[in-house]
Each structure stands twice: as structure tokens, then as C-alpha cells.
Amino acid sequence: QQQVKQSPQSLIVQKGGISIINCAYENTAFDYFPWYQQFPGKGPALLIAIRPDVSEKKEGRFTISFNKSAKQFSLHIMDSQPGDSATYFCAASRGAGSYQLTFGKGTKLSVIP
Amino acid sequence: ETGVTQTPRHLVMGMTNKKSLKCEQHLGHNAMYWYKQSAKKPLELMFVYSLEERVENNSVPSRFSPECPNSSHLFLHLHTLQPEDSALYLCASSQDFGSYEQYFGPGTRLTVT
């Protein structure tokens, strides 16, 4: 019940296209859903996050869509650029004061020119 | 230095060696974390330290020993490791124990021979 399932494992998108990464969870106590971006040789960096009281959050070209009833959330990268090529991790956290982030296994995105 | 720094960035050690990983955060945070990142696996939380408490993942072997001398520094002492311990070890920090947003360092790539 603590798992976060992420798909696809890898993704190749043409420059200018839309990249979509999906995550699903089981634990209804999760109430914070961040996405992390990791470049080779670097640690993960917080990209964008959402709470379950909203269905969508947009920051620049990055949008999180959240479906509470389906227990799914997804990351959309609009107008994907080669500089977006990285590994993306979804995560979930349970309740205020919970230190523990449960991570998905990651999606390696390659944006080709 | 800004953010979260980790040294060394790469470490190769034999199974009988003793070594330590160092993490320093320059963000004024009060909680620090050690994670293990292995290929095709979710990030695994190993230890959490804050001013108030220390939390351990009970599945972490005793050959990993954390030390947190103050709120800015975190060490991971390693002894008699196994080849399967080879991984990227990431340090992270957050404002407080239980804060949602965690900031990661670049990691130490550990190879056990």
C-alpha cells in the first residue's frame, strides 16, 4: 500500500512534443505529490508538487494533473526540449509532519531534436 | 557553497575497508536524510535526523552507521560492505522534520569491490 507505480520506464519524445509520465498510488492517506527531476551526476531536484484539493497545477511548461478518485497523477511537459532530457521521479507523502517520501522507480526521458 | 554538498563524489572501497561519506547543508535546515539510489529501484530512505529525533529504516544493515554532529552536517560511516551496497548515496535536507520539500545533494557514487 506504500508503493507508487510509475510508467513508462523510459520515454523518447520529439522536440516540441508533449511528454507524459503517469503515476498511481494505493494509499489514500497520501496528501502531497511532488515530482523530482534528476540530471546525470546530480541529485533529484524538486520540480513541481500538488495537493489533492486541486486537479491541476501548472508551472511554465510543466503541468501536474491529479485524479483523486482514480488515485492517479501525471506530469505533462509541453513543448519538450532537449534540455528536459533527464530522469523524472514521482513521489507521495502522507500527512502533515510525515518526513517520508515514497518514490516511483523513475522515467528516463530523452527529447530528440 | 550553496545548497547541499556531498563528499566524496566517487568512492571505491574493498569489502574490508572503513570509509565515511560526508554531507553538509547550507540552507539553515533542521532535518537531514540519507537515501540509497540503486538502478531500477525507487529511492530508499535509510536514515532521518532532526534536532528532535533520529529515525532509522529497520531494513538498513548495521554496516551503515549514521552520525549527525549538528544540524548542518551528516555522515554515513561504512564498514565491511558488500558488493550489493554499490549505489548512489544521496543526502537531503528539509526545513523541519516532516517538511514536505526535501533538497538533495549530488550524491556519492559508491562502488564496493
Side-chain angles (χ1 to χ4, degrees):
Chain A
Q1 224 193 2
Q2 289 296 319
Q3 281 188 333
V4 175
K5 295 183 180 179
Q6 183 172 348
S7 62
Q9 187 174 325
S10 62
L11 181 62
I12 300 174
V13 173
Q14 203 84 27
K15 179 184 175 182
I18 303 174
S19 304
I20 302 174
I21 304 170
N22 300 300
C23 285
Y25 63 97
E26 289 295 324
N27 190 341
T28 55
F30 286 145
D31 74 342
Y32 172 72
F33 302 88
W35 285 88
Y36 282 81
Q37 178 188 54
Q38 185 176 25
F39 293 105
K42 304 283 188 182
L46 180 63
L47 185 63
I48 186 172
I50 197 168
R51 298 284 180 94
D53 53 345
V54 297
S55 60
E56 186 175 281
K57 183 174 181 180
K58 185 175 181 179
E59 289 184 4
R61 295 183 294 108
F62 299 90
T63 299
I64 300 179
S65 297
F66 187 81
N67 185 330
K68 188 174 182 178
S69 61
K71 291 185 283 186
Q72 295 175 346
F73 58 109
S74 60
L75 177 69
H76 296 236
I77 307 174
M78 312 301 287
D79 186 26
S80 299
Q81 299 297 312
D84 298 329
S85 298
T87 299
Y88 293 81
F89 295 91
C90 63
S93 182
R94 172 168 55 90
S98 172
Y99 57 85
Q100 186 150 8
L101 285 170
T102 300
F103 284 87
K105 292 185 178 182
T107 297
K108 185 175 181 180
L109 171 66
S110 299
V111 181
I112 55 177
Chain B
E1 293 279 15
T2 59
V4 180
T5 57
Q6 291 185 241
T7 54
R9 294 295 309 277
H10 300 271
L11 178 62
V12 179
M13 60 186 288
M15 289 191 285
T16 58
N17 291 159
K18 287 185 180 181
K19 296 286 185 183
S20 296
L21 309 185
K22 179 184 175 182
C23 175
E24 184 173 0
Q25 60 93 3
H26 310 268
L27 300 168
H29 288 170
N30 296 311
M32 298 185 76
Y33 310 74
W34 279 117
Y35 283 88
K36 178 182 179 182
Q37 186 175 33
S38 304
K40 295 184 170 49
K41 288 186 178 181
L43 271 73
E44 176 188 355
L45 179 65
M46 301 176 73
F47 302 101
V48 185
Y49 269 90
S50 73
L51 295 176
E52 294 82 27
E53 59 190 291
R54 159 182 163 171
V55 178
E56 298 185 22
N57 180 339
N58 290 330
S59 67
V60 176
S62 60
R63 55 186 182 266
F64 294 91
S65 174
E67 178 191 359
C68 190
N70 54 60
S71 61
S72 299
H73 295 86
L74 185 64
F75 295 89
L76 188 63
H77 303 299
L78 317 170
H79 63 97
T80 58
L81 293 192
Q82 303 298 310
E84 60 265 27
D85 297 322
S86 298
L88 182 68
Y89 288 84
L90 292 161
C91 175
S93 70
S94 66
Q95 184 61 54
D96 295 297
F97 185 85
S99 295
Y100 287 129
E101 295 187 13
Q102 296 181 18
Y103 296 82
F104 286 82
T108 294
R109 174 66 64 186
L110 173 66
T111 303
V112 181
T113 60

